[in-house]
Amino acid sequence: MRRYDVIIAGGGVIGCSIAYRLAKSGLSVAVFDAGTAGKASIAAGGMLGAQNEFEYENPLMNIALESRAMFPDLRDELFEESGVDIELRKAGLLKVAATADDKPALLKQYAFLSGKDASVKWLEPDDVPSVESCMSIETAGAIYLEKDNQVKAPLLARAFLQAAVNAGVHVYEREAVIRVVVEANTVCGVQTTRGVFHSDRVINAAGAWSGTLFAEADFMPPIIPVKGECISVKLSEAAPVKTVFAVDGCYIVPKRNKEMLIGATSYPGSFDSSVTAGGIRSLLNRAARLLPVLDEGIIDRTWTGVRPQSSDGLPIIGAHPSIKGLSICTGHYRNGILLSPVTGVLMERYLNGCEKTAAVLAPFSPFRFQTKKEELLV
Ligand SMILES: Cc1cc2nc3c(=O)[nH]c(=O)nc-3n(C[C@H](O)[C@H](O)[C@H](O)COP(=O)(O)OP(=O)(O)OC[C@H]3O[C@@H](n4cnc5c(N)ncnc54)[C@H](O)[C@@H]3O)c2cc1C
């Protein structure tokens, strides 16, 4: 069987972004995916919520802002390298208090975000429709985040995959990694459904499944699968252009051709792929309360995806605590689309030995869970 410089388990936006950057740096790379590449990635809303997602200081915020800023150039680069347009839309995001009860938390987030960036604006209820004409006036106010733009997530996943292939990456779909092959605590390759492939560097980027991969290792990334349901509705006349995100987590992301992507429910611990009537009813009720025009739309389709959430909410990126050559890159939870550009670049630098990058990635190191385990034992 073949030998590669790096083998990656998982062909979602994270695995393919890393593969693309590694191949560009001159390494031979293989990506294995248990199904068709990008399970969560093709289900996502595509929001680049680098401000929407943060209410207080968080080590993830800086790299989220950095990643969001990469998208305009990335759009051009991926179009050149893959022929796929990721449909970057620059209309910004309205984070809305649907009721008076939601307002105090939103005002607190506004104080935090506007203290860092003067472009962040507070809108009183009467002002909300002047920024997005389809919005209801019956809200309790909103934050306008003009830089939180969006892309079409399945196209981003396809663009990274195709760009990786065009850069020389071998992508094996429907070929699961069954186990990592380890000798004397050092990685020598992976066993897949087709056989053994050799490499002394392996990356676990299997998203929600990464916590169950390589089951025999003494450390497994603590990943919780979080199922989410979505629905898309097509409008024919007036249609919003800005992403609308309610404090309760329901959002509407306007795509091309007046397609409104409405998400998402949240079921921690579930890999289930069925769409429930109750989940869709709740999304439609909450979405139409903010954008009444949705009631006139035609239901296009429904789907589910599984987000990879770590036990402390931060991504898990870095070396496996006890197996030399094995790295982990997972736990991007509901921000993997936003974080995929910066993750690919940081992982490429990290694997190529950049010490500065290792320092940037320190808050996300898998070792943090080891330390906690040892503290508990004392
Ligand atoms: C409903 C929903 C809405 C979302 N909205 C947004 C959003 O608006 N903005 C945002 O930034 N993020 C969003 N996210 C989150 C984002 O989609 C994820 O964080 C991101 O896609 C994770 O990428 P990944 O590559 O880690 O996982 P995935 O895309 O799931 O890829 C992991 C891959 O690993 C493969 N795999 C599993 N087991 C094995 C094995 N044994 N061997 C080989 N391969 C294996 C799987 O088949 C899968 O293709 C959303 C997610 C969901 C579900």
Side-chain angles (χ1 to χ4, degrees):
M1 280 292 176
R2 284 209 56 160
R3 167 169 287 281
Y4 293 95
D5 293 325
V6 183
I7 288 177
I8 300 173
V13 280
I14 298 302
C16 288
S17 173
I18 301 168
Y20 170 61
R21 294 293 167 199
L22 288 174
K24 282 283 195 184
S25 79
L27 298 177
S28 65
V29 184
V31 172
F32 291 90
D33 199 287
T36 47
K39 283 271 167 34
S41 305
I42 60 167
M47 291 173 287
L48 309 176
Q51 288 172 307
N52 178 38
E53 286 291 327
F54 297 98
E55 292 158 24
Y56 44 83
E57 293 299 341
N58 182 317
L60 194 54
M61 190 171 181
N62 281 347
I63 67 163
L65 291 168
E66 193 183 333
S67 204
R68 186 184 68 183
M70 290 166 76
F71 271 89
D73 286 347
L74 182 74
R75 177 220 14 225
D76 299 344
E77 179 183 347
L78 287 179
F79 186 68
E80 204 164 292
E81 300 278 343
S82 71
V84 179
D85 174 9
I86 63 173
E87 295 186 7
L88 174 65
R89 292 192 100 190
K90 294 182 175 176
L93 181 147
L94 280 173
K95 185 153 193 182
V96 185
T99 65
D101 285 350
D102 294 338
K103 194 171 175 179
L106 197 60
L107 279 170
K108 207 169 153 203
Q109 185 177 18
Y110 168 68
F112 170 68
L113 293 174
S114 59
K116 290 178 174 293
D117 180 348
S119 77
V120 174
K121 298 276 181 291
W122 176 261
L123 304 174
E124 289 300 334
D126 286 351
D127 299 329
V128 173
S130 66
V131 172
E132 175 51 75
S133 60
C134 293
M135 277 292 297
S136 162
I137 49 161
E138 288 172 23
T139 69
I143 307 177
Y144 177 37
L145 302 169
E146 66 174 28
K147 298 175 190 166
D148 272 359
N149 293 316
Q150 51 126 333
V151 295
K152 192 147 186 182
L155 294 178
L156 180 69
R158 200 195 311 159
F160 269 129
L161 174 71
Q162 193 56 51
V165 170
N166 292 349
V169 175
H170 289 180
V171 177
Y172 299 84
E173 290 186 283
R174 295 183 186 79
E175 189 162 348
V177 170
I178 299 165
R179 68 181 187 96
V180 59
V181 184
V182 180
E183 276 172 23
N185 288 331
T186 304
V187 154
C188 347
V190 294
Q191 183 174 3
T192 75
T193 38
R194 208 199 286 180
V196 173
F197 290 78
H198 300 285
S199 179
D200 49 20
R201 280 183 285 182
V202 172
I203 304 172
N204 177 354
W209 296 266
S210 51
T212 55
L213 209 66
F214 314 144
E216 71 271 29
D218 64 349
F219 171 81
M220 305 288 292
I223 290 292
I224 305 146
V226 184
K227 169 188 169 179
E229 295 159 312
C230 297
I231 177 167
S232 78
V233 168
K234 283 216 164 158
L235 297 178
S236 52
E237 302 296 328
V241 293
K242 298 193 186 328
T243 297
V244 176
F245 193 106
V247 168
D248 69 7
C250 175
Y251 53 80
I252 304 103
V253 194
K255 302 294 177 186
R256 277 193 187 161
N257 302 321
K258 298 186 179 175
E259 179 201 346
M260 303 294 120
L261 188 159
I262 303 169
T265 56
S266 186
Y267 305 91
S270 177
F271 279 109
D272 172 40
S273 62
S274 57
V275 178
T276 65
I280 296 304
R281 177 170 50 81
S282 153
L283 289 178
L284 287 175
N285 283 345
R286 289 187 285 156
R289 182 186 51 179
L290 299 173
L291 286 164
V293 69
L294 287 171
D295 279 337
E296 292 156 31
I298 291 170
I299 291 176
D300 183 32
R301 64 191 182 97
T302 60
W303 67 94
T304 61
V306 189
R307 311 165 183 96
Q309 185 185 23
S310 73
S311 57
D312 66 3
L314 292 176
I316 305 174
I317 307 177
H320 186 280
S322 59
I323 301 175
K324 196 167 165 247
L326 179 57
S327 300
I328 298 165
C329 193
T330 186
H332 293 74
Y333 186 36
R334 55 187 207 183
N335 291 304
I337 300 300
L338 164 67
L339 295 167
S340 57
V342 81
T343 301
V345 169
L346 290 173
M347 280 300 282
E348 182 274 306
R349 290 183 193 151
Y350 174 71
L351 288 177
N352 281 319
C354 172
E355 280 180 20
K356 219 170 126 193
T357 303
V360 172
L361 289 175
F364 315 111
S365 166
F367 282 87
R368 71 188 190 267
F369 299 107
Q370 286 293 96
T371 314
K372 280 180 193 153
K373 209 166 80 183
E374 278 152 20
E375 277 168 5
L376 284 175
L377 289 173
V378 171

